[in-house]
Amino acid sequence: MKVISADLEVVAVKPEQFPKDRRPEIALSGRSNVGKSSFVNTMLARKALARTSQRPGKTQTLNFYSINEAFYFVDVPGYGYAKVSKTERAKWGEMMENYFSNSECLKGVVQLVDARHAPSVDDVQMYHFLKHFEVPVIIVATKVDKLKKTHVPKHVKLVKQTLDFDDQDQFVLFSSMTGQGKDDAWGAVRQLIQI
Ligand code: GTP
Ligand code: MG
């Protein structure tokens, strides 16, 4: 995919603020710190368009990145960060539910998991939530640069088994550090937005 333009166009916390131009949207999903914002930067070849951090909880809003004025990546706050208060967790739930139930232009979700570990209970729940609502999912197993090459197949198996991965879905091994999997991820995204 040739990325000609990529801009943070809309920052939203409620449905009234979502873009109204009806362009297709691909949302990110995954635990805090898994690398969602880094994934956006790598895909768009923009070093720091999406703000990233070593500390979990960096992204707090729904950030709509307009790409080639044709579609959006929607970067979202992660889940599963232990230090988040009950009130904040409820706010997250409401914001995400509002998004998933109101977004008519959502064409699919890139669900990121850490390739180094078995997916968490939250990861499994999120994957099945998306499957239940028939939202097309791309599983991106990221931080693969941190694995020894010979260990990769074992980790892929663990991730797929834990998720009860549906072989109809797309699965991409990825690294924001090395760019591994970028072309595959674009292939998967393009298939969902049909461009
Ligand atoms: P929240 O906004 O808190 O939900 O986190 P996030 O999922 O957006 O994570 P973010 O992209 O901010 O990345 C978290 C940390 O992981 C940062 O220190 C990144 O540099 C690092 N990171 C992300 N992707 C990779 C990767 O593929 N490889 C390695 N080695 N580090 C990565
Ligand atoms: Mg983030």
Side-chain angles (χ1 to χ4, degrees), residues 132-195:
H132 178 77
F133 288 100
E134 296 179 348
V135 180
V137 191
I138 303 166
I139 295 290
V140 169
T142 191
K143 304 197 183 181
V144 74
D145 57 280
K146 293 203 173 187
L147 287 177
K148 272 195 186 155
K149 262 213 173 99
T150 50
H151 291 174
V152 170
K154 186 177 78 184
H155 285 262
V156 169
K157 198 170 160 198
L158 178 67
V159 168
K160 285 188 172 174
Q161 261 174 1
T162 311
L163 287 176
D164 191 14
F165 179 72
D166 177 351
D167 278 319
Q168 308 267 328
D169 291 335
Q170 310 200 63
F171 185 96
V172 178
L173 275 170
F174 193 84
S175 166
S176 288
M177 199 82 129
T178 64
Q180 181 185 336
K182 183 175 165 177
D183 290 347
D184 292 343
W186 267 123
V189 166
R190 290 179 80 146
Q191 207 169 309
L192 296 188
I193 54 180
Q194 290 169 350
I195 57 167

Side-chain angles (χ1 to χ4, degrees), residues 31-39 51-59 75-78 142-146 174-177:
R31 277 159 51 203
S32 278
N33 219 237
V34 70
K36 298 176 294 298
S37 300
S38 304
F39 174 87
R51 307 255 319 264
T52 66
S53 168
Q54 289 178 332
R55 283 187 300 133
K58 182 70 183 172
T59 309
D75 193 12
V76 309
T142 191
K143 304 197 183 181
V144 74
D145 57 280
K146 293 203 173 187
F174 193 84
S175 166
S176 288
M177 199 82 129

Side-chain angles (χ1 to χ4, degrees), residues 12-16 18 60 62 77 86-103 126 129:
V13 291
K14 48 187 180 195
E16 302 88 270
F18 298 165
Q60 296 283 345
L62 298 169
K86 247 191 182 162
T87 329
E88 278 178 282
R89 202 161 300 168
K91 241 171 60 190
W92 180 90
E94 193 185 318
M95 181 164 78
M96 297 304 284
E97 208 172 298
N98 268 332
Y99 174 62
F100 283 121
S101 55
N102 281 293
S103 177
M126 180 55 90
F129 169 86

